Amino acid sequence: MNDEWANIQKEFEKLYPGIELCYQTFSSDSFSVQHKAMAHMIQINYCKSSQIVWEMGNGNHIYLNPGDFSLHTMKDCTNSVLTIPSGMYQGLTICIDLQELSDNPPELLKDNHVFETLLSDKFSQIDHPVFLTGNEQTESIFSAFYNQPEALQLSYQKIKVLELLLYLAKTEFASQSQLSEYQAGQIEIIRKIHDQILMHMEQRPTIEELSRQYHINPTTLKNAFKSVYGTSIAAHIKEHRMEQAAKMLKETDRSIAEIARAVGYDSQSKFTAAFKAFFQVLPRDYRKNHFRTDFKTERPQ
């Protein structure tokens, strides 16, 4: 790494043999990264605030917004350039040495062979950056790396990194064509489409409408979206609709019909069926079990 890293603050913590955590604060518009190509080293990068664009030496790109995270080998990121549009970035990186971890996995992962049978095979097959957008479960994992009492911080870090590995063990990574097939401009369009849909969940634009609005081929839109976010537009947005609905059930006293419309369902019955299929519980029962009393008002449910 070169002198351009002068405006970077780093805080390292070794959690287990082969697993190291690094908190990062970048104060720079852009800088380059140079190191040896290490295919046995996996990086998990989580964006806490701002945005970062990582242009790999092989032509692949990583675009991370708050809550997003990515995986790649340290073979991919050698001779790469990071751009920070706002000039300030906060996040964390978890480095995993596959060789060291294979010889001595964490005690809690030994009995169920999670690392040997799932994570090792999955990680060893990563030949391009993998993008994963944040959800309620991943945010609960990553947020716990921050703002813990000093006496408990290391314990939280060790527990949460294992929880993250277990989450990744059950997550399907996109196996489609590499992101290098898509130009940076196309990936940026996909990001804009993604943000537009999440900002206006009450709307349900079709693929054709989005392709006309953003001047992108419908097939390219669908394939590029899956490569960036790891799943189809429909599945990805449905997950966000359900998570937003769950948040509203917990934190507001809006009626279920109102919440259904707010997340894009014109029928309460269709919303109820979709919510039950996703969370295995009816919306009214979810609210009964999770409603936060500090948000409660006098208005009846």
Side-chain angles (χ1 to χ4, degrees):
M1 300 178 188
N2 57 28
D3 293 339
E4 292 173 309
W5 287 74
N7 295 324
I8 293 178
Q9 298 177 14
K10 291 189 161 192
E11 179 185 341
F12 291 91
E13 190 74 61
K14 187 164 185 177
L15 304 183
Y16 298 98
I19 303 179
E20 186 174 75
L21 170 66
C22 177
Y23 294 96
Q24 298 173 324
T25 300
F26 301 161
S27 300
S28 177
D29 293 329
S30 67
F31 53 89
S32 61
V33 179
Q34 298 179 358
H35 54 70
K36 294 180 180 179
M38 294 177 283
H40 67 285
M41 295 291 295
I42 298 291
Q43 276 195 3
I44 302 172
N45 298 287
Y46 166 75
C47 174
K48 184 175 186 291
S49 64
S50 190
Q51 183 194 53
I52 193 166
V53 181
W54 201 335
E55 183 179 357
M56 303 296 185
N58 58 12
N60 287 325
H61 290 74
I62 291 176
Y63 291 79
L64 293 181
N65 289 316
D68 295 347
F69 61 108
S70 65
L71 295 85
H72 64 83
T73 71
M74 291 187 69
K75 177 181 178 182
D76 289 326
C77 64
T78 184
N79 300 320
S80 57
V81 176
L82 286 88
T83 301
I84 305 167
S86 69
M88 175 66 74
Y89 169 86
Q90 283 187 310
L92 62 80
T93 295
I94 298 169
C95 292
I96 299 174
D97 185 327
L98 296 178
Q99 295 175 350
E100 186 173 1
L101 195 56
S102 295
D103 294 336
N104 191 14
E107 188 66 31
L108 289 177
L109 298 186
K110 284 182 178 179
D111 294 339
N112 53 23
H113 305 290
V114 167
F115 180 78
E116 296 92 326
T117 58
L118 290 176
L119 291 175
S120 185
D121 291 342
K122 185 174 291 189
F123 285 174
S124 66
Q125 293 173 4
I126 294 177
D127 58 0
H128 62 282
V130 173
F131 296 80
L132 294 164
T133 55
N135 55 48
E136 190 172 1
Q137 184 174 355
T138 60
E139 192 57 28
S140 71
I141 295 173
F142 283 112
S143 64
F145 283 102
Y146 295 89
N147 302 321
Q148 300 295 349
E150 185 175 354
L152 303 177
Q153 182 169 315
L154 182 59
S155 296
Y156 268 101
Q157 291 168 342
K158 288 185 173 183
I159 290 171
K160 288 299 176 177
V161 78
L162 295 185
E163 188 177 349
L164 177 61
L165 293 178
L166 290 172
Y167 176 85
L168 293 174
K170 66 179 184 180
T171 301
E172 292 297 325
F173 297 159
S175 58
Q176 279 206 328
S177 52
Q178 295 186 8
L179 291 173
S180 57
E181 291 187 8
Y182 304 107
Q183 299 175 1
Q186 289 177 322
I187 297 176
E188 185 62 25
I189 288 173
I190 297 301
R191 283 287 191 186
K192 289 179 180 179
I193 290 173
H194 171 269
D195 292 346
Q196 175 187 322
I197 294 174
L198 294 193
M199 287 177 63
H200 302 283
M201 284 196 217
E202 75 282 2
Q203 302 175 4
R204 282 184 173 269
T206 65
I207 296 292
E208 289 71 23
E209 289 170 342
L210 291 171
S211 66
R212 286 195 298 269
Q213 180 181 351
Y214 287 93
H215 308 289
I216 183 172
N217 179 276
T219 301
T220 300
L221 191 163
K222 289 187 288 186
N223 291 340
F225 192 99
K226 189 167 185 179
S227 288
V228 172
Y229 290 102
T231 187
S232 69
I233 293 180
H236 182 82
I237 300 306
K238 182 177 182 180
E239 180 179 355
H240 279 281
R241 290 185 197 279
M242 294 298 101
E243 288 171 353
Q244 179 63 18
K247 188 176 191 308
M248 294 170 71
L249 287 167
K250 288 189 293 185
E251 299 182 358
T252 78
D253 64 348
R254 296 176 69 176
S255 71
I256 292 175
E258 288 178 312
I259 292 173
R261 289 193 295 272
V263 296
Y265 287 85
D266 55 9
S267 163
Q268 181 176 332
S269 61
K270 290 180 181 178
F271 165 73
T272 297
F275 191 93
K276 187 175 188 301
F278 192 85
F279 285 106
Q280 306 302 309
V281 64
L282 291 170
R284 66 171 181 269
D285 294 329
Y286 185 92
R287 166 170 274 170
K288 187 183 301 182
N289 294 331
H290 296 87
F291 188 59
R292 290 177 55 180
T293 56
D294 53 322
F295 284 94
K296 195 171 183 179
T297 71
E298 296 300 319
R299 197 179 91 176
Q301 179 177 326

